Each structure stands twice: as C-alpha cells, then as structure tokens.
Amino acid sequence: MRESPERPDFDDLRRRAEQRLEARLPEGISSDVDVRKLLHELQVYQIELEMQNDALRQARVEAQAVLARYTELYDSAPVGYFSVDRAGLIRQLNFAAARLLDEERPRLLGLSFRQFVEDRDRPIFDAFLTNVFAGQTKEVCEVRLVRADSGQPLCFTHMEAVVGEASQVFNAVVVDITAKVLADEALRSSQQNLEMAVHGADLGIWNWNMRSGELVASPRFRQLFGIPAEEAMSYERFLEALYPGDREAIGDAVRQALKSHEEYNVECRIRWPDGSIHWIAAVGCGFYDEVSGDITGMSGIALDITERKALEEAMQRLNDDLEHRVAERTVALSDANEELVRSNQELHQFAYIAAHDLQTPLRSIAGFAQLLQKDFGGLLGAQGDAWINQIVLNVRRLHELIQDLLVYSRIDTPGTVFDQTDLRLVFDSVVAALDASIRETGAAITCGDLPVVVGSRIQLAQLLQNLIGNGIKYHGAEAPRVHVAAERSDKEWIISVRDNGIGIPEKHRERIFEIFRRLHSQEAYPGTGIGLAVCRRVVQRHGGRIWAESTPGQGSVFKFTLPDQSK
C-alpha cells in the first residue's frame, strides 16, 4: 500500500528559526528599528509555516483519497489478493480471497494459509513460500483448497507471487481455476474416449496441413490404403491407392465438396499390394482461413466397409428374388381374388335365386296345409290335427328363414347407395314398423340425440330393427324398455341399444353374431338365428365394429360404431 506523507516537525522548524534570529542579532541591540525588523521577519516565517501546513493538509487529504480508492479496488477485485508472512500467516486479504476460503475476512487474519491447502498439495505450497522469500519473482503454484475445519474440497487455485523481493511479507494473487481443471479433465477424458472409439471402430485418421505441407496418417489409415509405413504420405499418393475406375470420380467429389466448404462423404475401392480389392468409406472436411476463405488444410477418417458391401450385394440379390416372387404371388392372388369375387357373386346370386325359387313351392305347401287345417280340422283326430298344425308352423318358420337369408345375401350386393342418413328418421321408421310388437308387449322405446351418418338407409334400418326387436323379444317379467343413444369418440360415432332383458352369458357374447347361432329353443324364443349375423355384416359393410355388453338377468347393451365423415 502507498503510505501517507509524514507530519512535519514544528518544534524543529521553530528551533531553526530562533537560531537564524540569534545569528543576526549582535550583542547589545536595543534599537526599536532593529526589533521591528526582527518581528517582521518572524511574521514572514510564520506565514511560510502556515502555507507549509496547508500544503501538508492538502497532501494528507489526497493521500487518504488515493488510499480509499486503492482499498475499494483491492476489496472489489474479482481475483483474490492476500499477504502472507514468513510463518505462512495471513496478514491481509481482500473479499475475493475470503470467498475462495469460504470464510469471513476478519476471522481469517492471523490464520495459517497452509491449513486451507489440501494435504497432498502442502509440499507444493511450502516450496512456493520458500522460493518467494528467497526472491524468485516468477514463482507460481497450483493447489487445491479445502475447509480448514472439515477438509471438504473448496476449489482448485492458481497462485502467483506479485512481490518477489526478500522481505518479511509477500503479496500474492490467487484465482479459482476449478472450471478450467474440470474442462481439461473432461477434454482428456473426451480425447481418451475418442481414441477408444476410433480404435474400437477400426478407423483410419489423416490430417493435411497445407501451409506446412505436412500430411500425417495413422497406421490404420496406411493399412486401409495399402501404403507402407516407411513410404512418404502425400495427397497424390492417396489418390494413387484408389482403384483406377474410382480415381477421377473421387477426386471430383472431394474437390467439389471443398469448393463449396462442405463435408465430403465418398465410398471407393482400394487395391491392396496383395491384389485384393477392398471397399473404403471416407469422410472428411477442409479447414479455411477466416479472413481470405482460402483452404488451409484437410482432415478425414476412413473405414473398411468391404463386408458391408458384400452383405448389401447379397441383400440386393435376395431383394430382387423376393420382388420376383412377390410379383408372381401378386399375379396368383389377383387371379384368385378375381375368381373369389366371381364365386362370391355367383354364391349371392345362387342364394337369392334359391331363396326366391323356394317361395313358390313353399306357398303351395302353406296353402294346402291351411286347406287341410280348415276343411279337415277335427276330422282326423287329435293326432291328425297336431300334424297339420306342425306342418303350418314349420312352413311359417321356413318362410321366415328364407326371408332372412334373402336379407343376409343382399347386404353385400354391389351398387348399394351410401348417402347422408339421419339416424333419428331411421329410428322413427323402425319404431313404426314394430308398432304391433310394441303394443303387444307394452314396450317403451326411446332415444337420445342421434347423428347424421353416411350409409345405406335400408341396411341401417334393418340393423336398428333387429337390435330393437331383440330387446323387445328377449324381455323378462317386466315390460321391455329399449333406449337408443349415440356418443362421438375420436373420428367415429358409437351407437348403443340398451334393454332390460334377460341378458347374455359372457361365454356367448361373441358366438351370438355367428349365422344360425341360437341360445334358446324355438318354443321359448322363436327366430332363425340370422338377425345378429345380419347386424354384424351391416356394421362391417359400413366400416365399423359391433359388440355386446351384458350381465345375465340385468339386460344387455349392443354397441356398434359408424365412421364420422362430417369433417
């Protein structure tokens, strides 16, 4: 620190003035004139002394201001400053140094700096102190600092002496270099990992400094390009190693990439000294002057991809063979599909014609059975009446079966028109068609808001009629209650038909949609076993799905989806 000016010795000044006065007074002076002169000179001396006092006071103020600025800079400096005596005790330090030691500054004064140095670094610090007090002005050291009380790590510091001449106290600057040390360690670790990765990946590396002309290649790179270790490396030698048919293309690709300041990525063939051909993948880039933009060097890596190329060729052959087989199979499937379409059309046509043609003899049988029942009822005895009634009943069942088969066969009939269909209008028409059953059973048929969908109005009406009709037919002791509702989910509508009927056992919930599948006898619940099969075909025809949820004795809910094509 800069010291303030010394305070003047006024007694000494007065003593010198008296000596000067006595030297000028001869013995025996008694003249008033002489006395007045002496008094005048004393006044002059007094004025000079006051002026010197003013100058000294001004110098003291300036010195205090300089000291204050110095103290402020010292305490606010971003790096740590401290003073240590020969015993290693802290005599002075700024706030930055106190922060490094993680302690309040007043508590650090008089403590040994050495106790804050990690044990393994104390010999380094001791040598640093010895050299500094021996007058070595360029002395530096790097040590780890720890808490004096617990030994817990604080930081890694760089310490440098700022006053190196031999004295009782020296000053030093200390900087936290923990981040730099960690970065260096991370860099070393990264370099080690990179070396391991390069070695593990079997990569060859090369670097060309165009300014110095030096071209360095790793042993693996030389091996990949068939260049002996004792042979000088050059870019021309690299090109010579390429397969003759690849040299021009690879050279052009590299030049074009460097011209556009882009990375080059090429695959080329190399003929090794033993005559074998190997495929090499080479990736690299150029380095350019920041000012002129001129290329200053190149660097790259190389990898042997011979096995990969062989696998690619084998895969290509397999792919070509597979594509050939797929083409042949596609033709065969197309022919089979066309045959299936024709067969399906013929089957539908046959089912329709067969069912239609069965109507004529069935009507005749029904007519004659009714005539027998009318004209000979009671004349053939109880057994005869029972047989006639059985004939009439079976004819009626056969008629219903034929009608249901006709409905089932018409579902996939080509040309069915799909149009905007209001399900509420469809519901109303179905309820009207089931009016007789509703009146007979006292059923309550209700619905919520139903959407407009794209579909066949006839088929959707058949779907709702079958589901609502089942809810009326399969009821328990209570009067049937059927409710139809709709909810939107993602891109589809979920339509539900809920009843309070007898329910369906879990093991039968999938089988009920199979054609001719019945769970009850004709006597208990008459029917053909085709209704739910028709429902599934209709839903599938409209791009949806259908399922049942039920608890035996507590009713059922049939749900089916229809695509929402409103958006």
Side-chain angles (χ1 to χ4, degrees):
M1 289 188 210
R2 179 180 173 182
E3 297 183 354
S4 59
E6 295 183 359
R7 183 176 179 177
D9 189 344
F10 292 103
D11 294 335
D12 181 62
L13 291 174
R14 184 167 48 255
R15 185 168 49 255
R16 282 186 287 171
E18 289 176 351
Q19 290 174 354
R20 290 173 59 192
L21 179 60
E22 291 176 355
R24 297 184 59 182
L25 288 177
E27 294 183 4
I29 289 182
S30 59
S31 170
D32 292 338
V33 175
D34 292 335
V35 171
R36 283 196 296 271
K37 289 181 179 180
L38 290 174
L39 291 175
H40 176 72
E41 290 184 6
L42 286 175
Q43 290 175 353
V44 171
Y45 287 140
Q46 185 177 1
I47 293 173
E48 290 178 355
L49 288 175
E50 290 177 353
M51 292 178 64
Q52 290 180 4
N53 289 337
D54 291 340
L56 288 174
R57 282 194 293 272
Q58 181 64 30
R60 186 181 296 109
V61 171
E62 292 178 357
Q64 289 175 347
V66 171
L67 178 61
R69 287 196 298 271
Y70 170 80
T71 302
E72 181 181 1
L73 291 173
Y74 180 78
D75 287 337
S76 62
V79 297
Y81 291 99
F82 68 93
S83 300
V84 175
D85 60 18
R86 287 182 176 272
L89 302 181
I90 301 173
R91 294 306 180 188
Q92 187 58 269
L93 77 166
N94 65 353
F95 287 113
R99 283 195 298 271
L100 289 179
L101 299 178
D102 196 24
E103 185 59 88
E104 296 180 4
R105 184 165 66 167
R107 299 180 61 179
L108 292 170
L109 297 176
L111 297 181
S112 171
F113 193 94
R114 189 175 186 272
Q115 65 181 321
F116 293 97
V117 178
E118 191 173 296
D119 290 345
R120 56 179 165 171
D121 290 344
R122 286 179 179 176
I124 300 175
F125 179 73
D126 294 341
F128 172 72
L129 283 183
T130 300
N131 294 337
V132 170
F133 282 112
Q136 297 186 18
T137 59
K138 299 298 183 182
E139 191 66 18
V140 297
C141 73
E142 292 183 355
V143 294
R144 282 166 280 258
L145 300 184
V146 297
R147 293 182 182 275
D149 54 352
S150 63
Q152 293 181 348
L154 289 174
C155 59
F156 202 112
T157 60
H158 174 87
M159 196 175 301
E160 183 173 349
V162 294
V163 177
E165 57 189 29
S167 63
Q168 297 302 315
V169 177
F170 86 95
N171 298 324
V173 59
V174 57
V175 181
D176 185 350
I177 60 170
T178 304
K180 175 181 177 299
V181 172
L182 293 177
D184 290 343
E185 291 178 355
L187 179 60
R188 285 193 297 271
S189 177
S190 178
Q191 289 175 338
Q192 292 174 355
N193 292 336
L194 177 60
E195 292 175 358
M196 291 176 61
V198 169
H199 178 73
D202 202 23
L203 297 175
I205 302 177
W206 69 285
N207 183 72
W208 181 20
N209 187 331
M210 294 183 176
R211 288 175 173 172
S212 64
E214 181 183 15
L215 195 154
V216 179
S218 68
R220 179 54 178 164
F221 185 87
R222 287 177 170 273
Q223 182 182 3
L224 291 175
F225 283 83
I227 303 175
E230 64 277 5
E231 186 175 345
M233 277 292 301
S234 66
Y235 182 70
E236 291 72 18
R237 181 64 182 87
F238 158 75
L239 291 178
E240 290 177 2
L242 300 178
Y243 194 75
D246 294 345
R247 291 175 187 171
E248 184 175 354
I250 298 301
D252 291 342
V254 172
R255 283 190 293 272
Q256 182 61 34
L258 297 177
K259 182 179 179 181
S260 58
H261 290 203
E262 296 177 351
E263 178 186 272
Y264 68 83
N265 190 335
V266 297
E267 295 181 356
C268 55
R269 291 168 293 177
I270 304 294
R271 185 189 296 277
W272 282 12
D274 61 4
S276 60
I277 303 297
H278 291 256
W279 276 95
I280 304 297
V283 180
C285 62
F287 303 101
Y288 307 88
D289 187 276
E290 294 182 358
V291 179
S292 65
D294 296 336
I295 186 168
T296 60
M298 295 173 61
S299 181
I301 61 174
L303 174 66
D304 190 339
I305 58 171
T306 305
E307 293 185 4
R308 194 195 80 187
K309 280 293 186 179
L311 289 175
E312 288 178 354
E313 292 177 0
M315 289 293 294
Q316 186 61 46
R317 289 193 297 270
L318 290 174
N319 188 56
D320 293 342
D321 182 61
L322 181 59
E323 288 181 356
H324 179 69
R325 293 186 180 184
V326 168
E328 291 181 343
R329 186 62 175 166
T330 300
V331 173
L333 289 175
S334 178
D335 294 342
N337 187 56
E338 292 178 1
E339 182 62 28
L340 182 61
V341 170
R342 287 194 299 270
S343 176
N344 193 40
Q345 290 175 346
E346 292 174 357
L347 181 60
H348 283 296
Q349 186 176 10
F350 171 78
Y352 178 78
I353 293 173
H356 184 273
D357 290 347
L358 287 175
Q359 298 292 324
T360 301
L362 187 60
R363 292 193 190 96
S364 298
I365 295 173
F368 285 116
Q370 290 173 355
L371 288 175
L372 283 174
Q373 190 177 40
K374 178 181 179 181
D375 295 342
F376 297 94
L379 298 178
L380 301 177
Q383 185 65 50
D385 290 342
W387 288 346
I388 292 174
N389 291 334
Q390 194 66 33
I391 292 173
V392 173
L393 180 61
N394 286 323
V395 168
R396 187 180 299 117
R397 290 176 181 171
L398 183 58
H399 176 73
E400 293 175 356
L401 179 60
I402 292 173
Q403 292 300 319
D404 288 346
L405 282 173
L406 283 172
V407 172
Y408 189 78
S409 66
R410 291 186 183 125
I411 294 175
D412 293 330
T413 301
T416 302
V417 178
F418 279 38
D419 203 352
Q420 294 288 332
T421 302
D422 190 337
L423 286 184
R424 178 55 193 260
L425 297 179
V426 174
F427 171 82
D428 292 341
S429 66
V430 168
V431 171
L434 296 173
D435 182 67
S437 298
I438 294 173
R439 290 177 179 275
E440 180 181 349
T441 59
I445 313 300
T446 58
C447 75
D449 294 332
L450 298 179
V452 175
V453 298
V454 175
S456 167
R457 188 179 186 282
I458 295 176
Q459 292 184 1
L460 293 176
Q462 185 69 54
L463 170 63
L464 284 181
Q465 182 169 327
N466 287 356
L467 294 177
I468 296 174
N470 282 351
I472 296 174
K473 180 167 64 173
Y474 295 100
H475 68 85
E478 298 180 1
R481 294 193 308 273
V482 180
H483 182 74
V484 181
E487 62 175 326
R488 193 178 186 282
S489 175
D490 197 13
K491 297 181 180 180
E492 63 184 9
W493 287 101
I494 301 178
I495 314 298
S496 61
V497 180
R498 185 182 300 274
D499 63 53
N500 65 334
I502 60 176
I504 305 168
E506 183 177 358
K507 63 180 180 180
H508 296 310
R509 289 178 195 167
E510 290 296 328
R511 299 175 59 195
I512 57 176
F513 295 102
E514 298 175 4
I515 191 169
F516 301 127
R517 177 67 63 181
R518 292 179 50 81
L519 304 183
H520 309 281
S521 65
Q522 283 286 347
E523 289 73 16
Y525 297 99
T528 62
I530 298 178
L532 289 179
V534 170
C535 292
R536 182 168 66 176
R537 289 290 293 276
V538 169
V539 171
Q540 291 175 344
R541 186 86 162 81
H542 285 74
R545 61 193 188 282
I546 187 171
W547 67 96
E549 299 173 359
S550 178
T551 300
Q554 298 182 18
S556 304
V557 54
F558 285 85
K559 295 183 178 181
F560 62 90
T561 64
L562 295 174
D564 180 8
Q565 302 181 8
S566 59
K567 295 183 179 180

